[in-house]
Amino acid sequence: MKRILPAIALIAGLTLVGCSGGQDGGDKAQEDGGGAAAQTEEAPQATQLDEAQLKKILESTDADGLSFKTIDTTAASGSQALKALEQAEYEPSECKDLSMAALNAAKASDTTTVTGVSSDNTMSVGLVSLADDEAAASQLKTSSAVTEKCSDVSIKSQGIEMKMKFESFDATVSGADETVGVKATIDAGGQTVLNTSSISARVGNNVVTAANVADIDESTVSTTAETFVDAVKNAG
């Protein structure tokens, strides 16, 4: 079981970052196509937060008594776990492309992303800042689409079969422009290794995602998301 835990962590990470793969292509075309309309309406220009600003928000915010520290997710791109996923068999097969795109999105896109975990390792938070409101809204839509297409996925890797089930749920976060909730169950080796609920909330051109990575009260996820939404709004 130990040898597949890194791969499970990477797969679980997809639910924490809002599955932002695909942001580069079609979404940029949508931005270009809607640019004229946005300018005629004289919408206020969004300010994209840089990595230092996002890191400061994450590490200076306490949510329900929990403090957070940033973690380096870029190292995963060359890890043994990612190589195992690249060689894995997916069913449905299209979910492999979606998964790989999501894991490599941070390199390929112009978004700014910071990820962190709580001091007790029960919660994960992802903060993403994009070029404008439309790009952020598109990311949430992409997340919903991936959840629907890959609601029941099987992955065979290193002789072990992992099964993942995703289900959307209604989530409300005070202060957010729009919100998406996803519940995920991951089984490996005949055992359930992770039950998680994630909430992604858009605040203008920023997206906050909070998820539990241990068995805790589901209300903690909602409270954490709301706390970081307030922190992002104050920073903006």
Side-chain angles (χ1 to χ4, degrees), residues 161-192:
E161 183 172 359
M162 292 172 279
K163 294 182 179 293
M164 297 178 291
K165 294 183 181 293
F166 297 92
E167 179 183 1
S168 60
F169 68 92
D170 292 331
T172 301
V173 175
S174 178
D177 296 311
E178 54 183 325
T179 309
V180 172
V182 177
K183 292 183 179 180
T185 301
I186 300 178
D187 295 337
Q191 298 180 339
T192 298

PDB file of all heavy atoms in Angstrom, residues 161-192:
ATOM      1  N   GLU A 161      -5.376  -1.491  -8.416  1.00  0.00           N
ATOM      2  CA  GLU A 161      -6.486  -0.767  -9.016  1.00  0.00           C
ATOM      3  C   GLU A 161      -7.077   0.212  -8.008  1.00  0.00           C
ATOM      4  O   GLU A 161      -7.366  -0.151  -6.866  1.00  0.00           O
ATOM      5  CB  GLU A 161      -7.582  -1.720  -9.491  1.00  0.00           C
ATOM      6  CG  GLU A 161      -8.728  -0.999 -10.181  1.00  0.00           C
ATOM      7  CD  GLU A 161      -9.736  -1.936 -10.818  1.00  0.00           C
ATOM      8  OE1 GLU A 161      -9.526  -3.166 -10.743  1.00  0.00           O
ATOM      9  OE2 GLU A 161     -10.727  -1.443 -11.385  1.00  0.00           O
ATOM     10  N   MET A 162      -7.186   1.457  -8.425  1.00  0.00           N
ATOM     11  CA  MET A 162      -7.795   2.498  -7.599  1.00  0.00           C
ATOM     12  C   MET A 162      -9.113   2.920  -8.223  1.00  0.00           C
ATOM     13  O   MET A 162      -9.217   3.067  -9.441  1.00  0.00           O
ATOM     14  CB  MET A 162      -6.850   3.704  -7.491  1.00  0.00           C
ATOM     15  CG  MET A 162      -5.591   3.415  -6.708  1.00  0.00           C
ATOM     16  SD  MET A 162      -4.393   4.782  -6.782  1.00  0.00           S
ATOM     17  CE  MET A 162      -3.620   4.456  -8.380  1.00  0.00           C
ATOM     18  N   LYS A 163     -10.110   3.109  -7.392  1.00  0.00           N
ATOM     19  CA  LYS A 163     -11.417   3.555  -7.858  1.00  0.00           C
ATOM     20  C   LYS A 163     -11.752   4.894  -7.206  1.00  0.00           C
ATOM     21  O   LYS A 163     -11.571   5.054  -5.996  1.00  0.00           O
ATOM     22  CB  LYS A 163     -12.500   2.523  -7.531  1.00  0.00           C
ATOM     23  CG  LYS A 163     -12.343   1.205  -8.281  1.00  0.00           C
ATOM     24  CD  LYS A 163     -13.480   0.257  -7.954  1.00  0.00           C
ATOM     25  CE  LYS A 163     -13.343  -1.042  -8.720  1.00  0.00           C
ATOM     26  NZ  LYS A 163     -13.519  -0.844 -10.179  1.00  0.00           N
ATOM     27  N   MET A 164     -12.224   5.831  -8.007  1.00  0.00           N
ATOM     28  CA  MET A 164     -12.585   7.157  -7.507  1.00  0.00           C
ATOM     29  C   MET A 164     -14.008   7.491  -7.919  1.00  0.00           C
ATOM     30  O   MET A 164     -14.388   7.289  -9.071  1.00  0.00           O
ATOM     31  CB  MET A 164     -11.630   8.220  -8.053  1.00  0.00           C
ATOM     32  CG  MET A 164     -10.198   8.046  -7.611  1.00  0.00           C
ATOM     33  SD  MET A 164      -9.123   9.318  -8.347  1.00  0.00           S
ATOM     34  CE  MET A 164      -9.167   8.791 -10.063  1.00  0.00           C
ATOM     35  N   LYS A 165     -14.763   7.979  -6.985  1.00  0.00           N
ATOM     36  CA  LYS A 165     -16.129   8.421  -7.254  1.00  0.00           C
ATOM     37  C   LYS A 165     -16.255   9.884  -6.835  1.00  0.00           C
ATOM     38  O   LYS A 165     -15.852  10.255  -5.733  1.00  0.00           O
ATOM     39  CB  LYS A 165     -17.150   7.562  -6.498  1.00  0.00           C
ATOM     40  CG  LYS A 165     -17.207   6.109  -6.971  1.00  0.00           C
ATOM     41  CD  LYS A 165     -18.283   5.342  -6.229  1.00  0.00           C
ATOM     42  CE  LYS A 165     -18.330   3.884  -6.668  1.00  0.00           C
ATOM     43  NZ  LYS A 165     -18.773   3.757  -8.075  1.00  0.00           N
ATOM     44  N   PHE A 166     -16.809  10.707  -7.728  1.00  0.00           N
ATOM     45  CA  PHE A 166     -16.995  12.131  -7.465  1.00  0.00           C
ATOM     46  C   PHE A 166     -18.476  12.477  -7.578  1.00  0.00           C
ATOM     47  O   PHE A 166     -19.173  11.996  -8.468  1.00  0.00           O
ATOM     48  CB  PHE A 166     -16.193  12.980  -8.457  1.00  0.00           C
ATOM     49  CG  PHE A 166     -14.707  12.777  -8.367  1.00  0.00           C
ATOM     50  CD1 PHE A 166     -14.070  11.835  -9.160  1.00  0.00           C
ATOM     51  CD2 PHE A 166     -13.940  13.524  -7.492  1.00  0.00           C
ATOM     52  CE1 PHE A 166     -12.698  11.642  -9.093  1.00  0.00           C
ATOM     53  CE2 PHE A 166     -12.574  13.348  -7.406  1.00  0.00           C
ATOM     54  CZ  PHE A 166     -11.955  12.409  -8.206  1.00  0.00           C
ATOM     55  N   GLU A 167     -18.931  13.324  -6.679  1.00  0.00           N
ATOM     56  CA  GLU A 167     -20.336  13.736  -6.673  1.00  0.00           C
ATOM     57  C   GLU A 167     -20.424  15.200  -6.244  1.00  0.00           C
ATOM     58  O   GLU A 167     -19.833  15.603  -5.237  1.00  0.00           O
ATOM     59  CB  GLU A 167     -21.142  12.866  -5.708  1.00  0.00           C
ATOM     60  CG  GLU A 167     -22.605  13.228  -5.612  1.00  0.00           C
ATOM     61  CD  GLU A 167     -23.332  12.385  -4.581  1.00  0.00           C
ATOM     62  OE1 GLU A 167     -22.688  11.538  -3.927  1.00  0.00           O
ATOM     63  OE2 GLU A 167     -24.547  12.585  -4.415  1.00  0.00           O
ATOM     64  N   SER A 168     -21.132  15.988  -7.023  1.00  0.00           N
ATOM     65  CA  SER A 168     -21.287  17.401  -6.674  1.00  0.00           C
ATOM     66  C   SER A 168     -22.348  17.564  -5.597  1.00  0.00           C
ATOM     67  O   SER A 168     -23.247  16.731  -5.466  1.00  0.00           O
ATOM     68  CB  SER A 168     -21.667  18.221  -7.912  1.00  0.00           C
ATOM     69  OG  SER A 168     -22.884  17.764  -8.457  1.00  0.00           O
ATOM     70  N   PHE A 169     -22.237  18.621  -4.815  1.00  0.00           N
ATOM     71  CA  PHE A 169     -23.256  18.926  -3.809  1.00  0.00           C
ATOM     72  C   PHE A 169     -23.414  20.439  -3.696  1.00  0.00           C
ATOM     73  O   PHE A 169     -22.518  21.197  -4.068  1.00  0.00           O
ATOM     74  CB  PHE A 169     -22.898  18.314  -2.447  1.00  0.00           C
ATOM     75  CG  PHE A 169     -21.694  18.909  -1.770  1.00  0.00           C
ATOM     76  CD1 PHE A 169     -21.816  19.964  -0.864  1.00  0.00           C
ATOM     77  CD2 PHE A 169     -20.423  18.413  -2.022  1.00  0.00           C
ATOM     78  CE1 PHE A 169     -20.707  20.507  -0.243  1.00  0.00           C
ATOM     79  CE2 PHE A 169     -19.298  18.942  -1.401  1.00  0.00           C
ATOM     80  CZ  PHE A 169     -19.440  19.996  -0.512  1.00  0.00           C
ATOM     81  N   ASP A 170     -24.583  20.856  -3.226  1.00  0.00           N
ATOM     82  CA  ASP A 170     -24.858  22.281  -3.074  1.00  0.00           C
ATOM     83  C   ASP A 170     -24.040  22.841  -1.913  1.00  0.00           C
ATOM     84  O   ASP A 170     -24.076  22.318  -0.800  1.00  0.00           O
ATOM     85  CB  ASP A 170     -26.346  22.524  -2.813  1.00  0.00           C
ATOM     86  CG  ASP A 170     -27.201  22.185  -4.021  1.00  0.00           C
ATOM     87  OD1 ASP A 170     -26.690  22.293  -5.152  1.00  0.00           O
ATOM     88  OD2 ASP A 170     -28.379  21.807  -3.840  1.00  0.00           O
ATOM     89  N   ALA A 171     -23.298  23.878  -2.191  1.00  0.00           N
ATOM     90  CA  ALA A 171     -22.474  24.513  -1.166  1.00  0.00           C
ATOM     91  C   ALA A 171     -22.671  26.026  -1.236  1.00  0.00           C
ATOM     92  O   ALA A 171     -22.768  26.595  -2.323  1.00  0.00           O
ATOM     93  CB  ALA A 171     -21.000  24.167  -1.360  1.00  0.00           C
ATOM     94  N   THR A 172     -22.745  26.649  -0.076  1.00  0.00           N
ATOM     95  CA  THR A 172     -22.903  28.099  -0.005  1.00  0.00           C
ATOM     96  C   THR A 172     -21.794  28.679   0.869  1.00  0.00           C
ATOM     97  O   THR A 172     -21.558  28.198   1.982  1.00  0.00           O
ATOM     98  CB  THR A 172     -24.272  28.480   0.599  1.00  0.00           C
ATOM     99  OG1 THR A 172     -25.308  27.919  -0.197  1.00  0.00           O
ATOM    100  CG2 THR A 172     -24.428  29.991   0.635  1.00  0.00           C
ATOM    101  N   VAL A 173     -21.116  29.677   0.345  1.00  0.00           N
ATOM    102  CA  VAL A 173     -20.055  30.352   1.093  1.00  0.00           C
ATOM    103  C   VAL A 173     -20.361  31.843   1.099  1.00  0.00           C
ATOM    104  O   VAL A 173     -20.433  32.479   0.050  1.00  0.00           O
ATOM    105  CB  VAL A 173     -18.673  30.108   0.463  1.00  0.00           C
ATOM    106  CG1 VAL A 173     -17.607  30.913   1.199  1.00  0.00           C
ATOM    107  CG2 VAL A 173     -18.328  28.623   0.493  1.00  0.00           C
ATOM    108  N   SER A 174     -20.547  32.382   2.278  1.00  0.00           N
ATOM    109  CA  SER A 174     -20.853  33.804   2.413  1.00  0.00           C
ATOM    110  C   SER A 174     -19.729  34.657   1.834  1.00  0.00           C
ATOM    111  O   SER A 174     -18.556  34.413   2.099  1.00  0.00           O
ATOM    112  CB  SER A 174     -21.055  34.148   3.895  1.00  0.00           C
ATOM    113  OG  SER A 174     -21.304  35.523   4.064  1.00  0.00           O
ATOM    114  N   GLY A 175     -20.107  35.638   1.000  1.00  0.00           N
ATOM    115  CA  GLY A 175     -19.121  36.539   0.424  1.00  0.00           C
ATOM    116  C   GLY A 175     -18.582  36.108  -0.921  1.00  0.00           C
ATOM    117  O   GLY A 175     -17.886  36.878  -1.589  1.00  0.00           O
ATOM    118  N   ALA A 176     -18.895  34.872  -1.346  1.00  0.00           N
ATOM    119  CA  ALA A 176     -18.398  34.372  -2.629  1.00  0.00           C
ATOM    120  C   ALA A 176     -19.365  34.730  -3.756  1.00  0.00           C
ATOM    121  O   ALA A 176     -20.570  34.855  -3.548  1.00  0.00           O
ATOM    122  CB  ALA A 176     -18.212  32.863  -2.571  1.00  0.00           C
ATOM    123  N   ASP A 177     -18.823  34.896  -4.959  1.00  0.00           N
ATOM    124  CA  ASP A 177     -19.643  35.183  -6.127  1.00  0.00           C
ATOM    125  C   ASP A 177     -20.361  33.937  -6.625  1.00  0.00           C
ATOM    126  O   ASP A 177     -21.491  34.008  -7.105  1.00  0.00           O
ATOM    127  CB  ASP A 177     -18.780  35.761  -7.249  1.00  0.00           C
ATOM    128  CG  ASP A 177     -18.164  37.101  -6.862  1.00  0.00           C
ATOM    129  OD1 ASP A 177     -18.900  37.973  -6.369  1.00  0.00           O
ATOM    130  OD2 ASP A 177     -16.944  37.265  -7.044  1.00  0.00           O
ATOM    131  N   GLU A 178     -19.705  32.777  -6.527  1.00  0.00           N
ATOM    132  CA  GLU A 178     -20.308  31.491  -6.883  1.00  0.00           C
ATOM    133  C   GLU A 178     -19.494  30.389  -6.232  1.00  0.00           C
ATOM    134  O   GLU A 178     -18.319  30.570  -5.897  1.00  0.00           O
ATOM    135  CB  GLU A 178     -20.373  31.294  -8.393  1.00  0.00           C
ATOM    136  CG  GLU A 178     -19.054  31.445  -9.122  1.00  0.00           C
ATOM    137  CD  GLU A 178     -19.210  31.302 -10.626  1.00  0.00           C
ATOM    138  OE1 GLU A 178     -20.056  30.491 -11.064  1.00  0.00           O
ATOM    139  OE2 GLU A 178     -18.495  32.002 -11.371  1.00  0.00           O
ATOM    140  N   THR A 179     -20.146  29.230  -6.043  1.00  0.00           N
ATOM    141  CA  THR A 179     -19.526  28.161  -5.269  1.00  0.00           C
ATOM    142  C   THR A 179     -19.822  26.802  -5.890  1.00  0.00           C
ATOM    143  O   THR A 179     -20.911  26.577  -6.422  1.00  0.00           O
ATOM    144  CB  THR A 179     -20.055  28.162  -3.815  1.00  0.00           C
ATOM    145  OG1 THR A 179     -19.932  29.483  -3.271  1.00  0.00           O
ATOM    146  CG2 THR A 179     -19.272  27.204  -2.946  1.00  0.00           C
ATOM    147  N   VAL A 180     -18.836  25.894  -5.821  1.00  0.00           N
ATOM    148  CA  VAL A 180     -18.987  24.520  -6.293  1.00  0.00           C
ATOM    149  C   VAL A 180     -18.527  23.577  -5.187  1.00  0.00           C
ATOM    150  O   VAL A 180     -17.451  23.771  -4.610  1.00  0.00           O
ATOM    151  CB  VAL A 180     -18.159  24.263  -7.568  1.00  0.00           C
ATOM    152  CG1 VAL A 180     -18.175  22.782  -7.939  1.00  0.00           C
ATOM    153  CG2 VAL A 180     -18.683  25.093  -8.731  1.00  0.00           C
ATOM    154  N   GLY A 181     -19.338  22.552  -4.892  1.00  0.00           N
ATOM    155  CA  GLY A 181     -18.968  21.557  -3.889  1.00  0.00           C
ATOM    156  C   GLY A 181     -18.818  20.185  -4.530  1.00  0.00           C
ATOM    157  O   GLY A 181     -19.607  19.810  -5.390  1.00  0.00           O
ATOM    158  N   VAL A 182     -17.778  19.438  -4.134  1.00  0.00           N
ATOM    159  CA  VAL A 182     -17.522  18.106  -4.679  1.00  0.00           C
ATOM    160  C   VAL A 182     -17.152  17.154  -3.549  1.00  0.00           C
ATOM    161  O   VAL A 182     -16.286  17.460  -2.731  1.00  0.00           O
ATOM    162  CB  VAL A 182     -16.374  18.120  -5.720  1.00  0.00           C
ATOM    163  CG1 VAL A 182     -16.085  16.697  -6.209  1.00  0.00           C
ATOM    164  CG2 VAL A 182     -16.712  19.019  -6.888  1.00  0.00           C
ATOM    165  N   LYS A 183     -17.831  15.998  -3.518  1.00  0.00           N
ATOM    166  CA  LYS A 183     -17.463  14.934  -2.584  1.00  0.00           C
ATOM    167  C   LYS A 183     -16.739  13.846  -3.368  1.00  0.00           C
ATOM    168  O   LYS A 183     -17.151  13.487  -4.467  1.00  0.00           O
ATOM    169  CB  LYS A 183     -18.707  14.353  -1.914  1.00  0.00           C
ATOM    170  CG  LYS A 183     -19.397  15.314  -0.957  1.00  0.00           C
ATOM    171  CD  LYS A 183     -20.577  14.652  -0.261  1.00  0.00           C
ATOM    172  CE  LYS A 183     -21.242  15.621   0.715  1.00  0.00           C
ATOM    173  NZ  LYS A 183     -22.405  15.003   1.409  1.00  0.00           N
ATOM    174  N   ALA A 184     -15.651  13.324  -2.806  1.00  0.00           N
ATOM    175  CA  ALA A 184     -14.855  12.307  -3.491  1.00  0.00           C
ATOM    176  C   ALA A 184     -14.552  11.149  -2.553  1.00  0.00           C
ATOM    177  O   ALA A 184     -14.280  11.351  -1.363  1.00  0.00           O
ATOM    178  CB  ALA A 184     -13.554  12.903  -4.013  1.00  0.00           C
ATOM    179  N   THR A 185     -14.622   9.936  -3.108  1.00  0.00           N
ATOM    180  CA  THR A 185     -14.239   8.731  -2.385  1.00  0.00           C
ATOM    181  C   THR A 185     -13.190   8.004  -3.211  1.00  0.00           C
ATOM    182  O   THR A 185     -13.386   7.777  -4.407  1.00  0.00           O
ATOM    183  CB  THR A 185     -15.436   7.790  -2.161  1.00  0.00           C
ATOM    184  OG1 THR A 185     -16.448   8.471  -1.425  1.00  0.00           O
ATOM    185  CG2 THR A 185     -15.013   6.550  -1.380  1.00  0.00           C
ATOM    186  N   ILE A 186     -12.062   7.665  -2.592  1.00  0.00           N
ATOM    187  CA  ILE A 186     -10.985   6.976  -3.291  1.00  0.00           C
ATOM    188  C   ILE A 186     -10.703   5.653  -2.598  1.00  0.00           C
ATOM    189  O   ILE A 186     -10.424   5.618  -1.392  1.00  0.00           O
ATOM    190  CB  ILE A 186      -9.708   7.834  -3.332  1.00  0.00           C
ATOM    191  CG1 ILE A 186      -9.984   9.151  -4.050  1.00  0.00           C
ATOM    192  CG2 ILE A 186      -8.575   7.085  -4.020  1.00  0.00           C
ATOM    193  CD1 ILE A 186      -8.805  10.091  -4.105  1.00  0.00           C
ATOM    194  N   ASP A 187     -10.812   4.559  -3.355  1.00  0.00           N
ATOM    195  CA  ASP A 187     -10.537   3.212  -2.852  1.00  0.00           C
ATOM    196  C   ASP A 187      -9.299   2.676  -3.531  1.00  0.00           C
ATOM    197  O   ASP A 187      -9.091   2.888  -4.730  1.00  0.00           O
ATOM    198  CB  ASP A 187     -11.711   2.265  -3.136  1.00  0.00           C
ATOM    199  CG  ASP A 187     -12.981   2.662  -2.398  1.00  0.00           C
ATOM    200  OD1 ASP A 187     -12.872   3.355  -1.368  1.00  0.00           O
ATOM    201  OD2 ASP A 187     -14.077   2.290  -2.858  1.00  0.00           O
ATOM    202  N   ALA A 188      -8.475   1.964  -2.784  1.00  0.00           N
ATOM    203  CA  ALA A 188      -7.271   1.339  -3.342  1.00  0.00           C
ATOM    204  C   ALA A 188      -6.995   0.040  -2.604  1.00  0.00           C
ATOM    205  O   ALA A 188      -7.105  -0.010  -1.372  1.00  0.00           O
ATOM    206  CB  ALA A 188      -6.068   2.266  -3.230  1.00  0.00           C
ATOM    207  N   GLY A 189      -6.689  -1.001  -3.367  1.00  0.00           N
ATOM    208  CA  GLY A 189      -6.413  -2.285  -2.737  1.00  0.00           C
ATOM    209  C   GLY A 189      -7.582  -2.822  -1.954  1.00  0.00           C
ATOM    210  O   GLY A 189      -7.395  -3.537  -0.959  1.00  0.00           O
ATOM    211  N   GLY A 190      -8.794  -2.471  -2.375  1.00  0.00           N
ATOM    212  CA  GLY A 190      -9.992  -2.950  -1.696  1.00  0.00           C
ATOM    213  C   GLY A 190     -10.342  -2.188  -0.441  1.00  0.00           C
ATOM    214  O   GLY A 190     -11.272  -2.569   0.275  1.00  0.00           O
ATOM    215  N   GLN A 191      -9.634  -1.090  -0.166  1.00  0.00           N
ATOM    216  CA  GLN A 191      -9.892  -0.297   1.029  1.00  0.00           C
ATOM    217  C   GLN A 191     -10.150   1.151   0.658  1.00  0.00           C
ATOM    218  O   GLN A 191      -9.552   1.677  -0.286  1.00  0.00           O
ATOM    219  CB  GLN A 191      -8.715  -0.356   2.009  1.00  0.00           C
ATOM    220  CG  GLN A 191      -8.422  -1.739   2.546  1.00  0.00           C
ATOM    221  CD  GLN A 191      -7.249  -1.726   3.516  1.00  0.00           C
ATOM    222  OE1 GLN A 191      -6.442  -0.806   3.502  1.00  0.00           O
ATOM    223  NE2 GLN A 191      -7.158  -2.746   4.345  1.00  0.00           N
ATOM    224  N   THR A 192     -11.026   1.817   1.408  1.00  0.00           N
ATOM    225  CA  THR A 192     -11.248   3.246   1.212  1.00  0.00           C
ATOM    226  C   THR A 192     -10.116   4.007   1.881  1.00  0.00           C
ATOM    227  O   THR A 192      -9.899   3.886   3.084  1.00  0.00           O
ATOM    228  CB  THR A 192     -12.596   3.689   1.813  1.00  0.00           C
ATOM    229  OG1 THR A 192     -13.651   3.003   1.136  1.00  0.00           O
ATOM    230  CG2 THR A 192     -12.800   5.191   1.643  1.00  0.00           C
TER     231      THR A 192
END
